[in-house]
Amino acid sequence: EQVVVLDATADAAGARKWRVELVSGSDNSPHVDLVQENNTRDLAVEFIDRPLRVLYVEGSSRWEYRYFKNLLTREKDVESSIMLLSADRDFAQEGNMPISRLPRTKEEFAKYDLFVFGDVPSGFFSPDQLAIVRSEVSERGAGLLWIAGERSTPASWESTPLADLFPFRPPLALEPRVGASILRPTTVAERLGVLRLSEDDDGWPDVLTNLDLQWPRLRYVQHVPRSRLKPTAEVLATAEGIGTSAAEPSAAVMRMRFGAGEVIFVATDEIWRWRYGQGERYPERFWIPLVRLLARESLAHGDERATMT
């Protein structure tokens, strides 16, 4: 078995019909291809030229919110609606697609490719709104990104229509890990092309696992034992304790397919700590590829039948 990567470009947006063709050996070759009917495959490719659209709902103005929303608004190919639920009535909601209230109808939710829910109580949403979000993920292929928090996420989401959209089994109330932790990506993240934070875009910076430094350490990470993960969940990064008496590693960034869409749960809200003396480069390389991974699924979802490989 051999893996071959084919590169191609298109000069404009729109639908294309492409063909991949395997050319067998010459007539003088000792190897004969007995079945040549399976040597070609036609592909329908559609190029979409528009920004990714993100709805970010947050409960309070915590540190992760302050920097994460700046990353969204700064990205030129991301359009965002950002709603801070604890803001005063006169507070101007942020994002380049500002909204004054949460979406209520399926048509309003359908504008977005990705939903980002921070540390927000589930009670801010009606059962109908939550049911729409669930169907947007499972049927339309929209993405859902959870950013954990000490107050509400994921604890307040049990017994709601979105309770199934967590990559671990209930109870959803999670205890924090004891002591500080460092993050390490897994081979799954490498395969997906995310969590590549080093300068050469190929791996994890050594500075983030340097135990002699204080700023890479995350003080709050929710403990998700691997035994709690659902069978379809994948771990993109683990949290490891520091010291000989530290708790065993646990899942820190998890991904799970749900119907046509995908869900990612990040068990910490302290990625902002990596800004110390570094600026935005590490938080940006952490969050933006995850946003792209989840949002593109909505654009890629079509009517093609399932195929088994």
Side-chain angles (χ1 to χ4, degrees):
E1 184 174 301
Q2 186 173 355
V3 177
V4 178
V5 178
L6 303 178
D7 290 331
T9 59
D11 55 2
R16 299 287 187 277
K17 291 184 178 180
W18 285 356
R19 170 172 293 180
V20 178
E21 182 174 332
L22 180 65
V23 180
S24 57
S26 63
D27 295 338
N28 298 328
S29 173
H31 305 288
V32 179
D33 187 355
L34 299 179
V35 183
Q36 297 190 14
E37 289 76 16
N38 62 357
N39 288 1
T40 61
R41 180 171 180 180
D42 293 328
L43 302 173
V45 183
E46 183 176 2
F47 292 90
I48 300 175
D49 184 15
R50 71 160 176 84
L52 302 174
R53 295 169 183 161
V54 179
L55 172 64
Y56 176 28
V57 184
E58 184 59 83
S60 62
S61 182
R62 54 181 177 165
W63 286 107
E64 198 68 69
Y65 160 79
R66 300 180 190 186
Y67 296 115
F68 179 67
K69 56 97 173 174
N70 288 341
L71 296 177
L72 291 179
T73 55
R74 193 168 63 234
E75 280 295 301
K76 295 181 180 179
D77 56 354
V78 172
E79 292 183 347
S80 58
S81 299
I82 302 171
M83 188 157 200
L84 181 63
L85 299 180
S86 63
D88 296 333
R89 180 170 298 181
D90 296 333
F91 177 77
Q93 300 290 351
E94 300 189 69
N96 47 22
M97 296 173 57
I99 55 176
S100 58
R101 60 169 176 79
L102 290 174
R104 296 172 182 171
T105 66
K106 189 174 182 65
E107 290 73 23
E108 291 177 341
F109 278 105
K111 298 177 182 178
Y112 300 101
D113 306 306
L114 170 64
F115 307 111
V116 181
F117 291 165
D119 196 21
V120 51
S122 62
F124 276 101
F125 297 85
S126 70
D128 289 341
Q129 288 172 311
L130 297 181
I132 292 173
V133 172
R134 180 187 175 104
S135 67
E136 288 294 290
V137 175
S138 63
E139 297 176 16
R140 185 170 61 86
L144 176 59
L145 173 60
W146 299 100
I147 304 178
E150 299 184 49
R151 297 181 179 179
S152 304
T153 301
S156 74
W157 293 86
E158 195 145 2
S159 302
T160 70
L162 296 188
D164 293 337
L165 276 71
F166 287 94
F168 45 86
R169 291 187 291 269
L172 297 184
L174 299 174
E175 295 294 328
R177 289 178 56 85
V178 177
S181 302
I182 59 172
L183 257 58
R184 291 187 188 273
T186 66
T187 56
V188 177
E190 180 181 354
R191 173 171 57 84
L192 294 173
V194 296
L195 305 188
R196 295 180 175 181
L197 275 62
S198 62
E199 292 288 350
D200 56 4
D201 194 35
D202 186 23
W204 193 254
D206 294 336
V207 69
L208 293 183
T209 55
N210 188 338
L211 301 183
D212 295 330
L213 300 176
Q214 293 293 323
W215 63 264
R217 303 183 181 191
L218 306 181
R219 271 63 172 178
Y220 179 79
V221 182
Q222 294 176 345
H223 183 63
V224 185
R226 285 184 175 268
S227 59
R228 293 273 304 278
L229 295 178
K230 293 179 179 177
T232 56
E234 297 178 300
V235 178
L236 306 187
T238 58
E240 300 179 6
I242 300 172
T244 57
S245 59
E248 65 179 12
S250 61
V253 182
M254 293 140 274
R255 170 180 176 258
M256 181 185 74
R257 293 205 65 90
F258 190 82
E262 294 185 52
V263 177
I264 288 180
F265 179 83
V266 179
T268 181
D269 62 350
E270 296 202 337
I271 303 302
W272 62 269
R273 291 187 179 276
W274 294 346
R275 297 180 71 258
Y276 181 82
Q278 308 294 322
E280 299 283 6
R281 57 177 177 169
Y282 292 145
E284 183 175 42
R285 293 171 187 169
F286 180 91
W287 286 116
I288 295 302
L290 294 180
V291 167
R292 295 185 187 281
L293 174 68
L294 290 171
R296 284 173 176 164
E297 189 71 17
S298 173
L299 298 179
H301 180 63
D303 297 328
E304 182 182 359
R305 293 183 178 182
T307 58
M308 296 188 67
T309 303

